[in-house]
Amino acid sequence: MTYSLLGRCARTGQFGAAVTTSGLAVGSRVPHLAPRLGGVLTQHRTDPRLGPRGLALLAGGCSAEETLAALVASTPHHRWRQLACIDAQGRTAHFHGEAVKPARGAVHVQDGIALGNILAHDGVPQAMAAAFAESGSEPLAERLMRALEAGEAAGGEGRAVTSSALLVMEREVFPLVDLRVDLAPEAISALRDLWDAYAPSVDDFVTRAIDPDSWPGAPLT
């Protein structure tokens, strides 16, 4: 009962993920990203420990496929896990454990992978991947939002989603975008509203952090 998309922007080098579920706090458990390295999604009886473990493998030079293989080998409960990975070159990989409930699926596109479990039908990841691929000229966060919305329009999961998250990393150790919605009756619409409100200020928050003297109104001393 989770669907998500993990992606890369080849133009900016950003990595990002968008995810939604009928449970709570999906943004704190499923997406894991690191600047210049890539990212990992861990869902379906989620084990959040696999995210940092996957990022460490990517940092050690593993490809997306090698990272997924090592993650699966590292957990005795892999039959319950659904995982995805993207590496610095935009290569993607996924894993469905045998106990991951249907409808489930994964669709790979250039610089992205859509993933889901306990879906309304197995066409949901395809709709998400298509929306991501078709919006290549947009900022990565916008592409991820469109993918999430396309998944919902295609049927989403069997129950109403109440939690959603949008996470993007660029060059800094802190996220470029980290927006979360929990316990909302229209979680994806609420996330869209958050992103639309936040988008004009994305670069400003980075400037305030790394070059505060250049921020308008900053003291001269």
Side-chain angles (χ1 to χ4, degrees):
M1 55 186 183
T2 302
Y3 52 101
S4 54
L5 193 140
L6 184 62
R8 168 182 175 261
C9 176
R11 183 176 66 255
T12 63
Q14 296 171 2
F15 290 96
V19 57
T20 191
T21 187
S22 56
L24 290 176
V26 71
S28 68
R29 294 179 283 110
V30 171
H32 301 265
L33 304 171
R36 298 179 293 277
L37 290 179
V40 174
L41 297 173
T42 169
Q43 56 195 50
H44 192 276
R45 303 213 176 172
T46 308
D47 182 354
R49 297 173 297 179
L50 299 179
R53 193 178 301 170
L55 296 180
L57 289 163
L58 290 170
C62 291
S63 67
E65 286 193 4
E66 291 167 340
T67 296
L68 257 290
L71 288 179
V72 172
S74 74
T75 172
H77 305 295
H78 56 264
R79 70 190 192 97
W80 291 109
R81 314 304 186 195
Q82 187 180 48
L83 305 169
C85 183
I86 189 167
D87 63 26
Q89 285 72 47
R91 297 171 295 193
T92 54
H94 78 275
F95 171 79
H96 299 310
E98 61 186 23
V100 175
K101 296 179 180 180
R104 67 186 192 188
V107 175
H108 300 251
V109 292
Q110 183 173 347
D111 290 321
I113 177 172
L115 192 71
N117 62 78
I118 318 181
L119 300 170
H121 58 85
D122 59 11
V124 172
Q126 180 60 58
M128 297 175 68
F132 181 79
E134 291 165 4
S135 56
S137 63
E138 298 290 338
L140 181 59
E142 176 64 25
R143 298 176 69 191
L144 293 165
M145 276 304 315
R146 293 188 187 186
L148 211 57
E149 291 165 337
E152 182 179 42
E157 62 173 82
R159 293 186 284 182
V161 298
T162 62
S163 178
S164 60
L166 176 66
L167 178 64
V168 176
M169 300 291 293
E170 193 172 47
R171 294 178 296 274
E172 307 301 331
V173 295
F174 58 84
L176 184 71
V177 178
D178 188 357
L179 303 176
R180 304 179 187 186
V181 172
D182 285 299
L183 205 58
E186 300 289 342
I188 295 174
S189 294
L191 188 64
R192 161 56 75 182
D193 290 343
L194 278 176
W195 165 238
D196 286 347
Y198 191 78
S201 302
V202 167
D203 292 335
D204 293 340
F205 283 114
V206 176
T207 300
R208 291 181 193 186
I210 65 176
D211 189 13
D213 290 331
S214 71
W215 180 249
L220 296 179
T221 55

